[in-house]
Amino acid sequence: MTSLTIKEILAGRAGVGDEVTVEGWIRTRRDSKAGLSFLQIHDGSCFDPIQVVAESSLANYQEQILHLTTHCAVRATGKLVESLGKGQRFEVHADRVEVLGMVENPDHYPVSAKRHSFEHLRTVAHLRPRTNTFGAVARVRDCLSMAVHRYFHEHGFFWIHTPIITTSDAEGAGAMFRVSTLDLANPPRDEHGKVDFSADFFGRATSLTVSGQLNVEAYCMAMSRVYTFGPTFRAENSNTTRHLAEFWMIEPEIAFADLSDDADLAESFLKYLFKAVLEERPDDMAFFAQHIDKDCIHRLETFIAASFERMDYTDAIKALEAAVAKGVKFDFPVSWGIDLQSEHERYLTETLVGRPVVVMNYPKEIKAFYMRLNDDGRTVAAMDVLAPGIGEIIGGSQREERLDVLDARLDEVGLSKDEYSWYRDLRRFGTVPHAGFGLGFERTIIYATGMANIRDVIPFPRTPGNAEF
RNA sequence: UCCCUGAUAGCUCAAUUGGUAGAGCGAGCGGCUGUUAACCGCUAGGUUCUAGGUUCGAGUCCUAGUCGGGGAGCCA
């Protein structure tokens, strides 16, 4: 007897005539009064289920098999045969179907064998991975995760585990979740009546990380090519299809590099990821193309084939102003110095260029303190990668490596040099030009699959007012 | 946080000017068929989100709240 996953069986790891065991969950059961039942069984190993044929001669046919409903767990053993029916190449002619777990009250089971809305499935996030869509999302997510690490590994990067609990806010990247062991009802207070965090676990106020960038820069200044890939937390009260309070972010950092090198890296990296999905998950991508977003495969192929358009912020503004002059209507006015709104980004990448666009060199006023000041004195070496259909997918910059310029920026923004003393040390002891970016992992999955809501591409989404499961 | 919108059977939705709740899917039972979104028949399944209010009468109208969805802002 061989125990194989359905993926292995369908891929031909077992020969016709071999005895195999299939372990999984029922997708559907169809009965034939000719005296047999067809069980579609999936085990998550691949998109396709396998068909198990159970004849009425089986000992438990009347008592159990005829009562199997969607998502009952079974172990079926039998001979692998070429299917007599259409729709599948192989099937298992069962000698034994062992029922491991029935479904209680099948008439009230929330993931019955019918179409369900994603809204409903979100309320049963612990059961939704059993559906076609969420199984496919989980496999694509895994594929992309592995591709991230493989790309960096192949390109000489080191994966740095930056801390989850931090003390420094990467320049207001977002509101932070406090980490504390103090008694919320009765915290220690100082002489001014303020909560005394010196009595807290770490002896100071701490929060969940909003970005691993500052930490990974330290390792970049020793190992040249590094990245982080881990969970990130933002306590923003944002309720959109593109935001989560807990999400995963990929942040590479490269030394001896400028903004152009950074954009090169972003382009090469994204193309690698999408190529991996197309090559490794054709089954799931075919499903997404058929049921979720018919353009998704074509979009990835186009993305891989096209070179990114690079555009200075100043030129982007000019292009937007020209569009306004030609009658394009925007809700937000366009002028040099504004931060680009979603509608502006969409126009640039979808209407004007029709390909991914890298907008570079933004006004320093709208960007973070650590971004390198350009020679013009009014822009910084920042870039956003905009993709058709999703908007901003990457934000990055060349970092300010000059201590005097960095200090001036800290002062301008009103940040304390003491708070950033270790970060400033990196500029004091062997500083070099370097750059990096942040890629929202879930947004990458949205782009690849065509899924509409970010809450449906992470197993257990955390959003304002919702941390169930 | 702001704007819009919604909440009725396990799920997706109906229900006329306010008149006493219905279908499809799913589930159960039966029929039929190497079936595959199977098909046909029958059956069960409801404190209409919560709390107030108007009314002879509220799923429907009013007030407040809770939760969901979409959009915006913020960003990844």
Side-chain angles (χ1 to χ4, degrees):
Chain A
M1 185 180 88
T2 330
S3 184
L4 294 171
T5 64
I6 291 168
K7 176 190 178 180
E8 290 169 329
I9 292 171
L10 295 179
R13 280 279 303 281
V16 168
D18 289 355
E19 188 180 79
V20 295
T21 294
V22 171
E23 296 164 312
W25 294 266
I26 300 286
R27 189 149 272 161
T28 62
R29 186 197 89 235
R30 289 180 297 274
D31 304 321
S32 165
K33 278 298 182 295
L36 63 165
S37 290
F38 300 97
L39 310 175
Q40 293 287 349
I41 297 178
H42 70 98
D43 67 359
S45 62
C46 59
F47 182 83
D48 288 319
I50 196 165
Q51 175 160 284
V52 170
V53 182
E55 297 202 345
S56 57
S57 55
L58 294 176
N60 60 344
Y61 187 77
Q62 287 295 332
E63 279 71 37
Q64 291 193 302
I65 293 175
L66 277 181
H67 297 281
L68 290 173
T69 55
T70 300
H71 297 169
C72 288
V74 298
R75 175 185 295 130
T77 299
K79 193 177 285 185
L80 184 70
V81 297
E82 296 204 25
S83 181
L84 303 177
K86 284 176 284 198
Q88 60 280 318
R89 201 169 139 213
F90 300 116
E91 63 191 21
V92 176
H93 201 126
D95 297 319
R96 198 153 60 94
V97 175
E98 187 181 345
V99 176
L100 303 175
M102 291 298 289
V103 167
E104 292 178 12
N105 302 324
D107 56 327
H108 278 53
Y109 180 59
V111 197
S112 55
K114 57 156 275 158
R115 271 187 178 277
H116 293 281
S117 66
F118 291 146
E119 292 80 10
H120 172 245
L121 291 173
R122 262 170 236 152
T123 69
V124 285
H126 57 311
L127 299 173
R128 66 180 185 169
R130 301 172 182 197
T131 65
N132 279 335
T133 302
F134 288 90
V137 167
R139 283 184 297 272
V140 167
R141 187 179 170 108
D142 165 77
C143 170
L144 282 166
S145 298
M146 300 311 285
V148 165
H149 290 302
R150 204 167 56 240
Y151 176 90
F152 287 129
H153 185 70
E154 288 172 2
H155 289 77
F157 286 68
F158 297 99
W159 181 18
I160 307 300
H161 298 139
T162 51
I164 304 295
I165 299 172
T166 61
T167 53
S168 52
D169 179 353
E171 179 272 334
M176 307 181 78
F177 290 101
R178 172 137 292 152
V179 174
S180 176
T181 55
L182 294 179
D183 179 2
L184 279 178
N186 187 26
R189 299 190 182 269
D190 62 19
E191 60 271 25
H192 306 296
K194 291 192 162 179
V195 174
D196 180 13
F197 287 103
S198 72
D200 205 346
F201 186 89
F202 295 106
R204 58 187 298 179
T206 50
S207 304
L208 295 179
T209 183
V210 294
S211 163
Q213 181 200 317
L214 301 188
N215 292 287
V216 88
E217 276 189 56
Y219 271 71
C220 181
M221 294 295 91
M223 307 186 73
S224 301
R225 295 174 162 222
V226 296
Y227 70 105
T228 75
F229 180 15
T232 309
F233 308 88
R234 305 268 168 100
E236 298 289 350
N237 188 9
S238 43
N239 295 282
T240 79
T241 55
R242 301 177 306 283
H243 289 84
L244 291 166
E246 176 181 298
F247 64 100
W248 286 61
M249 188 155 65
I250 299 147
E251 296 175 286
E253 195 75 24
I254 46 177
F256 314 104
D258 61 15
L259 188 64
S260 177
D261 298 321
D262 204 28
D264 286 344
L265 175 63
E267 180 168 351
S268 150
F269 176 58
L270 284 173
K271 287 180 176 176
Y272 182 96
L273 296 187
F274 294 141
K275 208 165 158 229
V277 172
L278 290 176
E279 283 173 2
E280 296 167 28
R281 300 263 41 117
D283 53 347
D284 296 315
M285 289 308 296
F287 170 79
F288 288 120
Q290 196 177 347
H291 293 285
I292 303 293
D293 173 11
K294 66 181 188 308
D295 191 47
C296 65
I297 292 176
H298 174 253
R299 181 172 58 240
L300 295 188
E301 289 170 345
T302 308
F303 190 102
I304 292 165
S307 63
F308 288 16
E309 175 85 10
R310 295 191 192 185
M311 190 184 288
D312 247 50
Y313 167 88
T314 300
D315 293 329
I317 293 294
K318 280 180 190 159
L320 290 167
E321 286 173 336
V324 170
K326 275 191 286 181
V328 176
K329 294 265 183 281
F330 293 121
D331 291 337
F332 293 85
V334 177
S335 67
W336 199 93
I338 62 156
D339 207 353
L340 297 181
Q341 303 294 316
S342 298
E343 56 175 349
H344 304 143
E345 297 180 341
R346 229 176 292 125
Y347 176 84
L348 291 174
T349 188
E350 290 169 13
T351 308
L352 186 67
V353 177
R355 287 181 285 126
V357 175
V358 187
V359 180
M360 310 171 84
N361 300 312
Y362 284 79
K364 67 174 180 178
E365 284 75 19
I366 58 174
K367 289 293 180 182
F369 76 92
Y370 51 75
M371 298 184 177
R372 190 179 194 276
L373 188 65
N374 287 323
D375 292 343
D376 61 15
R378 60 177 200 155
T379 62
V380 291
M383 66 163 189
D384 283 350
V385 179
L386 313 177
I390 191 168
E392 184 181 339
I393 189 169
I394 278 180
S397 67
Q398 184 174 343
R399 320 305 190 190
E400 184 55 74
E401 85 281 13
R402 300 160 297 188
L403 182 64
D404 54 334
V405 183
L406 183 70
D407 282 350
R409 283 290 284 154
L410 282 169
D411 288 342
E412 262 180 59
V413 182
L415 291 172
S416 140
K417 290 198 194 67
D418 286 349
E419 284 280 317
Y420 291 91
S421 68
W422 68 260
Y423 188 69
R424 292 174 64 250
D425 276 356
L426 300 173
R427 278 72 183 164
R428 297 171 64 209
F429 310 128
T431 189
V432 301
H434 61 292
F437 62 78
L439 170 65
F441 186 54
E442 285 75 19
R443 290 187 183 177
T444 312
I445 302 171
I446 286 176
Y447 192 76
T449 59
M451 293 292 289
N453 195 313
I454 200 165
R455 294 161 200 192
D456 297 327
V457 299
I458 190 167
F460 299 103
R462 270 76 177 101
T463 52
N466 190 347
E468 216 188 336
F469 307 105

